[in-house]
Amino acid sequence: MSNVNSILSILAATYPEAHCELNFSTPFELLIATMLSAQATDKKVNQVTERLFRDYKTPEQFLTLSLEEMEKAIKELGLYHNKAKNILATCRILVESYGGEVPGSMEALTQLPGVGRKTANVVLSNAFHIPAMAVDTHVLRVSNRLGLASGTNPDLIEKQLRDTIPRSQWIQAHHWLIWHGRRICAARNPKCPDCPLSPLCPSRLLPA
């Protein structure tokens, strides 16, 4: 546990400003942005949602779009056919079952079309400030390399991280791991010589 605490302390000192890099102003906007983020960069999603959220801010307003119009609005992003279909189906459920509001529980969120645990955890932690540990590709890769978790199943990685990291730090630890993965611990050519965690990292690449 002391090693975990040391890792978290270094990450906190390295990324004091770490935060969700998807732009949103309401839980609904974050839900949509996170659904759009699969196989797309946050930067690209933000470009699309900047236009989208200008005219469509609620589930009710999204439902004025046809499937073809929804697809056209998000066509720059990968998997846009499925994303458009799931977004409109989710909006319909939000309107019909939740008064147009986004529910604040894992069980309710994961019943929505196209919403898995990762998306639900992002919404719970960033929109509702409920401790949660979302596992994306960066979190999975970095936590494996640092020895905080092991394996390739995101749900199992989530459980391991929840067991390893203090609950009070789940939200920030998620951001720290993502920022570290994007800035230093890349999938290819990680910047191990520049990494403040190198002394604690069992996966560090030593200079030849």
Side-chain angles (χ1 to χ4, degrees), residues 120-134 171 174-175:
N121 277 322
V122 169
V123 173
L124 290 173
S125 59
N126 293 287
F128 296 110
H129 310 293
I130 296 170
M133 178 58 70
I171 295 175
H174 160 75
H175 295 314

Side-chain angles (χ1 to χ4, degrees), residues 31-32 34-36 82-94 97-98 103 107-116 119-120:
L31 174 62
I32 298 302
T34 309
M35 292 175 73
L36 291 172
N82 278 339
K83 289 177 181 178
K85 182 177 67 175
N86 287 332
I87 285 171
L88 291 179
T90 283
C91 288
R92 198 164 293 112
I93 293 172
L94 293 181
S97 301
Y98 298 101
E107 183 179 12
L109 285 168
T110 51
Q111 293 300 310
L112 299 172
V115 178
T119 295

Side-chain angles (χ1 to χ4, degrees), residues 11 35 51-52 56 60-63 70 72 86 90 98 100 111 122 130-131 140 143 155 167 172 175 181 192 203:
L11 287 171
M35 292 175 73
R51 299 191 300 269
L52 190 61
Y56 306 97
E60 292 85 353
Q61 290 172 342
F62 266 66
L63 289 174
M70 186 75 238
K72 184 178 179 181
N86 287 332
T90 283
Y98 298 101
Q111 293 300 310
V122 169
I130 296 170
L140 191 151
S143 61
D155 291 350
R167 190 172 188 271
Q172 278 308 110
H175 295 314
C192 295
S203 306

Side-chain angles (χ1 to χ4, degrees), residues 6-181:
S6 297
I7 288 171
L8 294 175
S9 294
I10 291 170
L11 287 171
T14 306
Y15 308 107
E17 74 283 17
H19 60 275
C20 177
E21 293 185 281
L22 290 170
N23 295 335
F24 69 97
S25 57
T26 65
F28 175 69
E29 288 185 357
L30 179 59
L31 174 62
I32 298 302
T34 309
M35 292 175 73
L36 291 172
S37 69
Q39 295 188 23
T41 65
D42 286 359
K43 181 179 179 180
K44 194 65 179 176
V45 172
N46 288 336
Q47 291 172 355
V48 170
T49 57
E50 182 180 6
R51 299 191 300 269
L52 190 61
F53 294 159
R54 193 178 300 138
D55 298 316
Y56 306 97
K57 301 179 184 298
T58 66
E60 292 85 353
Q61 290 172 342
F62 266 66
L63 289 174
T64 66
L65 292 166
S66 67
L67 179 60
E68 292 73 21
E69 289 170 332
M70 186 75 238
E71 288 182 346
K72 184 178 179 181
I74 64 171
K75 195 168 184 177
E76 299 163 61
L77 303 172
L79 309 174
Y80 70 93
H81 289 297
N82 278 339
K83 289 177 181 178
K85 182 177 67 175
N86 287 332
I87 285 171
L88 291 179
T90 283
C91 288
R92 198 164 293 112
I93 293 172
L94 293 181
V95 170
E96 293 174 355
S97 301
Y98 298 101
E101 299 296 322
V102 175
S105 75
M106 172 64 71
E107 183 179 12
L109 285 168
T110 51
Q111 293 300 310
L112 299 172
V115 178
R117 286 193 65 88
K118 188 204 82 170
T119 295
N121 277 322
V122 169
V123 173
L124 290 173
S125 59
N126 293 287
F128 296 110
H129 310 293
I130 296 170
M133 178 58 70
V135 177
D136 68 356
T137 55
H138 300 292
V139 172
L140 191 151
R141 178 179 70 256
V142 175
S143 61
N144 266 272
R145 285 179 175 172
L146 289 172
L148 297 174
S150 63
T152 58
N153 184 307
D155 291 350
L156 294 180
I157 296 293
E158 177 191 341
K159 184 180 186 306
Q160 291 176 57
L161 292 175
R162 284 161 59 105
D163 290 342
T164 301
I165 296 171
R167 190 172 188 271
S168 61
Q169 292 183 288
W170 286 354
I171 295 175
Q172 278 308 110
H174 160 75
H175 295 314
W176 294 332
L177 291 169
I178 288 178
W179 278 47
H180 192 62

